[in-house]
């Protein structure tokens, strides 16, 4: 299943106008693009030309109403990616979906339907939603504490895996002539847990990837547990080699402690590329695409976001890492703030240096196409990461640029494919074909097989 | 919007191997077809060649495990139809989806995403699930009584309509140069009802059809209320002219009583065509595709399903209509049993006659292509029905036959299109463009516009 020579894996973010909230001002295209099928088809075709592993859609089932920014989340990821999959071959599909606001049966069924229809191109990025604006669209129940949300998420995936495993046509015996199929190849799961009660079987069979590849983004303690148990592709914030190595070690150790072989885990952090003809030009472009307009603007934003006093703030004094440790109990995504905290744990940086290390919480890789390729290869070649989820600040512009300028460098260096090989996204990631998940509950009403 | 000359509307059912549970024995193709993307693409292309208004998928989120029959419901309808829509132009998409086991925000968003991506080709067929096997996949709560399910369904659609109406880009004022969009075109709905609490706005805008066309199938008293309030396309069982006229009158009167113009309602009952070279051959084909094998077999099945005593049963004695009135309180679909009951109210029939009037609860139209076309035109020409949802007993065979033999007759008689006209399924049905649904709740926190 694995390719003989290790290759870089690359996903590409295609949310609306790109990852930069205020970068739309310098993009080509109109505001109507964000719901235009032709626009997304063009992005998918560009990504296919770039031989990306997968299209990535983050998600939030709520409308962001800051009119200075573009809405980042509009069309439903499962729907948009399915629509594109019918028109663009090969490329994988990473759909973000909430375990808090979907039922395991519906999610397992919809995801497996996509995976079966596309011949194994789906990755499901499971998130346990944390945003009060989202909660308000789903019953206005008070948001449960993170511990409960992750306990629910873990049981959710456990149920989904049992459902995905519940009907394997390969288990069929000989089918008598008056029977359409061997119904004994489908089993009830009879799951009765803390959060879910689901009988099964799923009405979509075990598929070309077994079940869809599971991606996971949490980086809090609970998030790490979830990733260690179930995550195959880990979408993390890794801002430096030491931070990345520490994260990978922690995750793999946790997986081993939970009885899972960490060989089935790929770390594919978000990365924001800013590509220009020179490093100087890339610095200016970063200032513009960040929406801050200048280095002073970047520093001002940093001070405000970090809660530093603008009057006394020294942009050239080393930062105190202790100030940046996020509170594990806060409601919003711990993973986003952890990146900076972990960067500063291993490296002494001034604000002026720090603002050029990340954008939108992801690692910033900035410079000429060769510079950018070098930085991507750097953390990949020693196994700190397995690949990247590229988050262009402006779409389509930065996707075109990356495909035309950076991908050829990566291909010339022999670390990235020139043509698609393998049928499934699982194969391209060198991930093991999953074992079928046994039902956890005794089923006295089913006859022993 | 409406075509100058009234035209027949036709949907085509494409569930797995066709509508006949045991008809798979005489179909072409393999059992693997039921999850094969190439198979469904072929059905969709056939249907497009036949100029059908829409592909129709019924649904049940549970696996039917009678191995003598094919599973009727496997791939998720929203997903399968979205996948096909990317590959086949023009044709509409009728996706059945449960209001009991989905949340209004997710459903409104997914449906509107499809409608926006396809340029207005979606019809959502809303059902309030009634099956204990389905309930067992969603938490095993005891099934609420029909009254509560329909009250919930009505509030569900009310919320969905408010969400669909909550963001209309056409409402935008001038957008200042540093703003991406006019966020005041999106409004909270702040719905607080008996079953749902949803803030909104939806993160997908008002679309090419306003919102997707709403189909509805219920025929119980509560189902009629739901249809009268919200249904645009009514998928009913109409087995005769008097039954159909009575149903249409009842539905339209109820709509008027609820303050709705019945001009926005189309009655498009299910119909099962059995086409052959002669009427005699069609009768034999009906016996085979029904799975009963003979007229005696049809009569035996009728007696068993009607609870009649096989020993004393006289196939040539008139039936007592009072025996066939369904109990409105039973858990399973009242609409299915109502068809026969209403047929017998208006017409005296023996069992031998009755078994040739319906198949799978739908009206059976049987004979040569000309016979079948005549019967379809008959109930349509005086407005008893507006069109049909054709349910072929075997797919792909009966779809090919209908497209090649019956459609040309309908076209030659001038009642069915030769080419697609109009962009949306709503236009082809001559349905009015919907008004935006105002939020029902005062919103003191939003500024007056």
């Amino acid at each position: 299943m694995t390719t003989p020579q290790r290759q870089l894996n690359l996903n590409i973010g295609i949310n609306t106008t790109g990852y930069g909230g205020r970068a739309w001002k310098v993009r080509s295209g109109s505001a109507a693009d964000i719901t235009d099928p032709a626009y997304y088809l063009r992005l998918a075709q560009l990504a296919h030309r770039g031989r990306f592993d997968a299209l990535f859609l983050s998600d939030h089932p709520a409308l962001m109403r800051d009119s200075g920014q573009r809405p980042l989340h509009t069309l439903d990821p499962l729907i948009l990616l399915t629509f594109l999959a019918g028109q663009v071959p090969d490329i994988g599909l990473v759909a973000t979906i909430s375990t808090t606001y979907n039922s395991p049966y519906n999610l397992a069924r919809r995801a497996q339907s996509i995976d079966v229809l596309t011949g194994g191109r789906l990755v499901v990025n499971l998130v346990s939603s944390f945003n009060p604006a989202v909660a308000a669209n789903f019953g206005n129940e008070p948001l449960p504490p993170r511990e409960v949300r992750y306990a629910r998420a873990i049981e959710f995936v456990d149920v989904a895996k049992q459902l995905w495993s519940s009907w394997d046509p390969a288990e069929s015996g000989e089918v008598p002539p008056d029977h359409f199929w061997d119904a004994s190849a489908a089993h009830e799961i009879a799951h009765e847990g803390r959060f879910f009660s689901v009988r099964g079987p799923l009405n979509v069979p075990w598929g070309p990837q077994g079940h869809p590849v599971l991606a996971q983004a949490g980086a809090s303690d609970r998030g790490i547990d979830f990733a260690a148990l179930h995550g195959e592709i880990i979408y993390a914030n890794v801002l430096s080699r030491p931070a990345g190595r520490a994260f990978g070690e922690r995750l793999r150790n946790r997986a081993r402690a939970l009885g899972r072989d960490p060989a089935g885990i790929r770390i594919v952090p978000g990365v924001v590329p800013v590509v220009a003809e020179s490093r100087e030009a890339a610095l200016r472009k970063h200032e513009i695409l960040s929406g801050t307009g200048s280095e002073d603007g970047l520093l001002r934003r940093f001070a405000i976001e970090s809660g530093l006093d603008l009057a006394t703030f020294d942009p050239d004094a080393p930062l105190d890492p202790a100030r940046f440790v996020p509170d594990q109990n806060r409601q919003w995504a711990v993973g986003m703030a952890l990146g900076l905290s972990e960067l500063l744990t291993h490296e002494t940086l001034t604000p002026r240096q720090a603002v050029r290390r990340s954008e939108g919480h992801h690692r910033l890789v900035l410079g000429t196409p060769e510079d950018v390729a070098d930085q991507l290869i750097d953390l990949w070649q020693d196994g700190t990461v397995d690949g990247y989820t590229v988050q262009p600040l402006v779409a389509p512009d930065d996707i075109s640029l990356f495909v035309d300028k950076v991908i050829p460098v990566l291909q010339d260096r022999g670390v990235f494919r020139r043509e698609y090989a393998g049928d499934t996204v699982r194969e391209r990631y060198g991930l093991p074909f999953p074992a079928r998940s046994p039902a956890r509950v005794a089923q006295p009403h089913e006859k022993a097989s």
Side-chain angles (χ1 to χ4, degrees), chain A residues 161-171 184-187 206-207 210-211 433-439:
Chain A
K161 284 186 171 179
Q162 291 179 59
L163 286 170
W164 284 323
S165 303
S166 64
W167 174 22
D168 185 355
E171 251 193 32
S184 75
H187 307 276
W206 191 238
H211 60 69
F433 195 86
R436 279 176 46 214
S437 213

Side-chain angles (χ1 to χ4, degrees), chain A residues 7 9 22 83 160 225 243 273 302 339 394 411 416 423:
Chain A
Q7 293 270 298
N9 290 109
R22 297 174 191 280
F83 186 73
D225 273 9
F302 179 84
V394 274
Q411 289 170 331
F416 193 63
D423 287 329

Side-chain angles (χ1 to χ4, degrees), chain A residues 216-239:
Chain A
Q216 212 280 324
S220 65
D221 293 343
R222 300 283 170 188
I224 291 269
D225 273 9
F226 186 26
L229 265 176
H230 291 302
E232 301 186 276
I233 289 178
I234 311 300
Y235 177 64
N237 283 342
V238 167
L239 303 187

Side-chain angles (χ1 to χ4, degrees), chain A residues 27-344:
Chain A
R27 75 183 273 274
S28 54
S30 81
D33 285 346
I34 69 171
T35 55
D36 182 356
Y39 169 69
Y40 289 105
L41 179 58
R42 185 177 157 212
L43 296 188
Q45 288 168 334
L46 263 174
H48 185 272
R49 182 151 67 74
R51 304 297 183 252
F52 278 96
D53 284 85
L55 306 169
F56 178 93
L57 281 174
S58 68
D59 195 50
H60 242 120
L63 181 63
M64 192 169 80
R65 285 193 293 167
D66 173 352
S67 62
Q69 301 196 30
R70 83 299 177 228
L72 187 58
H73 306 117
T74 160
L75 302 169
D76 181 83
L78 289 177
I79 297 301
L80 176 53
L81 292 171
T82 301
F83 186 73
L84 295 173
Q87 300 172 79
V88 179
D90 306 310
I91 197 162
L93 320 155
V94 187
T96 300
I97 187 158
S98 164
T99 57
T100 310
Y101 300 115
N102 286 279
S103 63
Y105 196 95
N106 280 343
L107 187 143
R109 182 185 183 202
R110 289 181 181 136
Q112 191 68 355
S113 295
I114 299 174
D115 213 41
V116 164
L117 284 170
T118 61
R121 292 163 58 189
L122 187 66
V123 180
V124 182
N125 180 35
L126 298 165
V127 297
S128 68
S129 305
F130 57 83
N131 187 312
V134 173
N137 289 330
F138 295 88
N140 250 336
E141 304 271 318
L143 215 57
R146 172 172 282 105
E147 179 176 14
V148 175
R149 278 188 285 129
Y150 270 107
R152 190 181 182 283
I154 286 172
E155 188 183 328
F156 188 111
V157 180
D158 181 40
V159 174
K161 284 186 171 179
Q162 291 179 59
L163 286 170
W164 284 323
S165 303
S166 64
W167 174 22
D168 185 355
E171 251 193 32
S172 299
E174 204 176 322
V175 178
D178 58 335
H179 285 215
F180 181 79
W181 61 307
D182 180 0
S184 75
H187 307 276
E188 293 189 359
I189 67 168
H191 177 91
E192 300 285 347
R194 176 175 169 198
F195 299 95
F196 304 108
S197 159
V198 181
R199 186 155 80 196
L202 192 66
N203 58 355
V204 182
W206 191 238
Q209 304 195 96
H211 60 69
V213 172
L214 298 181
Q216 212 280 324
S220 65
D221 293 343
R222 300 283 170 188
I224 291 269
D225 273 9
F226 186 26
L229 265 176
H230 291 302
E232 301 186 276
I233 289 178
I234 311 300
Y235 177 64
N237 283 342
V238 167
L239 303 187
S240 72
R241 172 170 284 111
R245 298 199 72 88
F247 173 76
E249 205 167 305
R250 187 171 155 223
L251 176 61
R252 292 192 183 91
N253 284 341
R254 193 74 192 115
R256 271 184 286 260
L258 294 167
R260 178 168 172 224
D261 181 354
I265 294 175
R266 298 287 173 276
I267 300 177
V268 187
V271 70
V272 172
V274 174
V275 180
E277 292 194 356
S278 67
R279 183 168 162 82
E280 265 315 302
L283 290 169
R284 294 298 83 75
K285 185 174 170 184
H286 173 222
E287 291 155 15
I288 292 165
L289 294 189
S290 69
T292 63
S294 65
E295 188 166 276
D296 281 348
L298 287 169
L299 287 166
R300 201 176 307 119
R301 183 181 67 175
F302 179 84
I304 293 166
E305 288 182 353
S306 308
L308 301 171
D309 182 358
L310 273 172
T312 62
F313 170 68
D314 179 355
D316 298 301
L319 289 161
D320 173 9
R323 278 198 65 106
F324 294 87
V325 178
D327 175 1
Q328 294 269 348
N329 291 318
R330 66 183 181 182
Q331 287 286 334
W332 60 280
V334 163
M336 286 303 192
L338 261 182
L340 179 62
S341 162
E342 286 173 358
L343 174 67
L344 295 175

